[in-house]
Amino acid sequence: MPFEFNRYSGLLLIFFVHGLVYAGLLLRKSIRNGRPSDAWLAFFLLLCVLYICPWMLGFAGWYDGTVCMDCRNFMFYMPLQHTLLMGPVIYFYLRSLFQPGFRLSRRHYWHFLPAALYLVWCAIVFSTDRLVLKRYYLMDGRVDPDFDDWYIAAGLVSLLVYGIISWRYYSRYKRFIVQEFSFADSVTFRWVRNFLIAFFIYFTSNLVFHLVQLAGVEINYTGTWWYYLLFALLFYYIAINGYSNSIETRMRFHLDLLAHQRTPLLAAGGAPPEGDEFISYEEVPESSKEQNGLEEWKPRIEQLMAVEKHYRNPELTLTDLARTLGTNTVLLSRVINKGFGKNFNDFINSYRVQEVQERLAGPDSSQYTIMSLAYEAGFNSKATFNRAFKKLTGKNPSDLIS
């Protein structure tokens, strides 16, 4: 098939090829490291490169029936823009990123039903027009099903719904980790936040683009190309950063997104949850016995921190501390939140920062660097230490030696 190279088709072709390369690299990484999240992101990138195909190939002459009629029929009958599939893929990418053991089950298949029905409709259109009637009938020969108004509207609704669900899922994950991990900063997945922002930029530009057209503003084929160039830039950003940040959390996380928002914790007893069940200390009513016992737990916790220095464990979790104390995470989280006025992550980091400050103020402080002390105190990276120190003291670590 001919391909006419010009600045429109050629530029999109560059993003098309690079998107395929990154999709392949992510798939290879997924197979090698056993990380399903990389496979989901590879799938999303594949959908992205297909999305720009109509304008890339259109400017390459494939829509021109006088040049290549077979190309034109291929473009009309091949579904390339799978907006009904993008939303679910993004959502399950997050699920697999935050839940390394997550696998699709039958109850998840309904997420893909709209996209499957659309593929069935495309197959019906192709069979009726090309194989049975051998003429345009279900399609008018000018606009293929990918650009029907009903499909564009359905795609926008799907993207909006899954965008909101994905953002809510990520927001609740962030609230979870500060209650469970002392190293929350290293598993916040700031990249995911940027990824979702890029996704919402795409959705907003898509919505504005089609609203302008519905308002009667004529946008020619060349003008529309700029919209696809913006989309190509967005998914290229996602490809680069997704490949370099493909790290999964070490603890399963799942919530019923239809339930009222709460801060999740592991089940009582400090043991790992069976399946994906999490509860929050807000969900468990506080008995009068527990109310009276909160102050009794504070000295025991302070003993573990100040004397036994459990905070020096860089991978300390609320579950670990609950097991040591012989209690459950619900009660322990309640004591820390209400008794000390901090979430678990800030509570542990406050002891770490305090140790660094005290040792730097000591007579032998010149023998150590700030970061060597930070690592000994339990911090696992310079960035984590700097952010925690700034948050808890309002100063930068360098101020201690200035």
Side-chain angles (χ1 to χ4, degrees), residues 116-241:
L117 291 176
Y118 176 67
L119 292 178
V120 171
W121 167 246
C122 291
I124 292 173
V125 172
F126 174 78
S127 300
T128 302
D129 289 15
R130 294 290 294 167
L131 302 181
V132 179
L133 300 179
K134 300 186 183 302
R135 62 182 176 85
Y136 294 127
Y137 178 70
L138 294 179
M139 190 178 63
D140 59 13
R142 295 187 301 273
V143 179
D144 59 47
D146 282 356
F147 300 101
D148 283 340
D149 290 340
W150 69 268
Y151 182 66
I152 291 174
L156 285 170
V157 170
S158 176
L159 291 170
L160 177 61
V161 169
Y162 280 97
I164 293 173
I165 290 175
S166 298
W167 186 266
R168 185 183 179 195
Y169 195 82
Y170 173 62
S171 298
R172 298 181 74 181
Y173 170 78
K174 289 198 300 180
R175 286 197 293 275
F176 161 70
I177 59 176
V178 297
Q179 296 290 357
E180 174 62 25
F181 299 130
S182 68
F183 50 94
D185 191 71
S186 63
V187 290
T188 52
F189 291 96
R190 286 181 173 82
W191 134 251
V192 175
R193 177 200 62 188
N194 297 337
F195 168 65
L196 291 174
I197 290 174
F199 172 76
F200 277 107
I201 292 174
Y202 155 63
F203 169 80
T204 303
S205 62
N206 194 346
L207 179 63
V208 171
F209 173 72
H210 288 102
L211 287 178
V212 167
Q213 289 184 314
L214 288 175
V217 178
E218 283 288 336
I219 302 178
N220 59 27
Y221 199 74
T222 302
T224 305
W225 177 86
W226 290 99
Y227 160 74
Y228 284 91
L229 178 62
L230 171 63
F231 178 78
L233 291 170
L234 288 174
F235 86 70
Y236 194 57
Y237 164 81
I238 290 172
I240 295 173
N241 286 275

Side-chain angles (χ1 to χ4, degrees), residues 83-123:
T83 51
L84 292 176
L85 199 52
M86 284 184 176
V89 170
I90 290 173
Y91 171 63
F92 286 113
Y93 166 62
L94 295 189
R95 288 285 298 269
S96 60
L97 193 66
F98 299 150
Q99 294 176 255
F102 172 77
R103 294 293 184 274
L104 282 180
S105 63
R106 289 185 178 180
R107 64 190 177 91
H108 296 126
Y109 291 165
W110 68 269
H111 290 273
F112 304 97
L113 181 60
L117 291 176
Y118 176 67
L119 292 178
V120 171
W121 167 246
C122 291

